[in-house]
Amino acid sequence: MGNYGKGDTAWFTHDRFGMFIHWGLYSMPARHEWIRHTEEISDGDYRIYFDLFDPDLFDPKAWARAAREAGMKYFVITTKHHEGFCLWDTKYTDYKVTNTPAGRDLLREVVDAFRAEGIRVGFYYSLIDWHHPDFTLDKIHPMRNKISAGEFNKGRDMKRYAKYMRDQVTELLTNYGKIDVLWFDFSYPGENGKGHLDWESEELIRLVRKLQPGIIVDNRLDLPGSGDILTPEQFTPDHGMVDEEGKPAVWEGCQTFSGSWGYFRDETSWKSVKMCIEMLVNHVSRGGNLLMNVGPTSRGYIDARAMERLAGYADWMKYNSRSIYGCGAAPAGFPAPPDCRYTYNPETNRLYLHCFAWPFKHVHLPNLAGKVKYAQLLADGSEIRRREAVNEVHSNLNSTTPDNALTLELPVLLPQGTEVPVI
Ligand code: H79
């Protein structure tokens, strides 16, 4: 496994919660960001979206405020998705936001707005590019069923495309100040796919580490040893994750409110606020981060359904963020009771008991007899009565927040150096 340097993950495993933003031309058809693939749309037929992209209600300060209030500490935005459209004023293609009716570098405005709210900056950059004139046909390309590879690939050269990516990544990592996360997406090696030889991943990762020491890079370059984080997508692991050598790994699950990443007007599979909160708790309880996505509309605002869920996070995090920041999995030997999750802050030695279902009588805390100093409802700091001898906390109380994950805070006495497990 190569040694390609490492990013600084200390802030990342503390902060736990970020906002993913998918915003590009696909917000106009508003039926999934993979639309060019699924509907097999040619470059020519897709052009209309570029010609008409005009986010007249674009308000990045409102996005940043919603993220900050939701408790999100970093964000990752699509600078370019698979469609190849660039949200910044790049020198290396005309297929960029400044040539649409928008007429200006919107990426810079987003970065400035989020920084002003104290939120760290991350860039998503698609390795896949269905617009670039050097990008060759493969098994997921929109034109895969419409034209032969021999014909399509005439005059195309992936080496030139790899250079294009290095040039663009250089712009992104040079012209926008300190960038905390770089999220490449994605490799699909094997027959008729693309991987590290196509992207020239070794050169790419060395360039990234040189330009932004400390930056966190995801694990999608098809190059073992190049990534800092594992990135399960729309899937929550049911335990901690390990790296290629079996050691506990830093990981970040990315999730959507409704299924699609790009704005999808007619999608009906929206998660409830309760599900969204439990998703965050689940990730942290297994030692991971949650990168929760919003897909702004083509007019540039976050629609009411997404805002409602962000507001749900804000309501909950206002009172419960202490059970998220600085927290991870509980130490080994203390299994969570049924319908509950633990998160644990090793600095303060406080254990957080998240009850996903209302415990009408009491909750047994296995193996914690004699170890719990106090118990309180985190939301209002009110004492929860306990019976030490039988490891119970009693919950026959009226809660201020009975609907969403009910969180109790338990300062505990655990032995120094108690291991946090990867189960
Ligand atoms: O940017 C978001 C997605 O567009 C992108 N990654 C997140 C962060 C992504 N979507 N899908 N994938 C990555 C995995 C690819 C799955 C595929 Fe398929 C299976 C590609 C081809 C077969 C799904 C099914 C997409 C097309 C058919």
Side-chain angles (χ1 to χ4, degrees), residues 20 22 33-34 37 81 124 140 183 185-186 233 261:
F20 218 163
H22 276 68
E33 78 284 354
W34 272 65
H37 165 99
H81 202 261
Y124 169 108
I140 61 172
W183 225 98
D185 200 27
F186 63 86
E233 177 166 334
W261 300 86

Side-chain angles (χ1 to χ4, degrees), residues 12-33:
F12 187 80
T13 53
H14 176 275
D15 288 354
R16 289 301 186 203
F17 193 26
M19 174 182 272
F20 218 163
I21 303 177
H22 276 68
W23 199 43
L25 300 180
Y26 43 81
S27 66
M28 297 177 69
R31 47 185 192 271
H32 205 284
E33 78 284 354

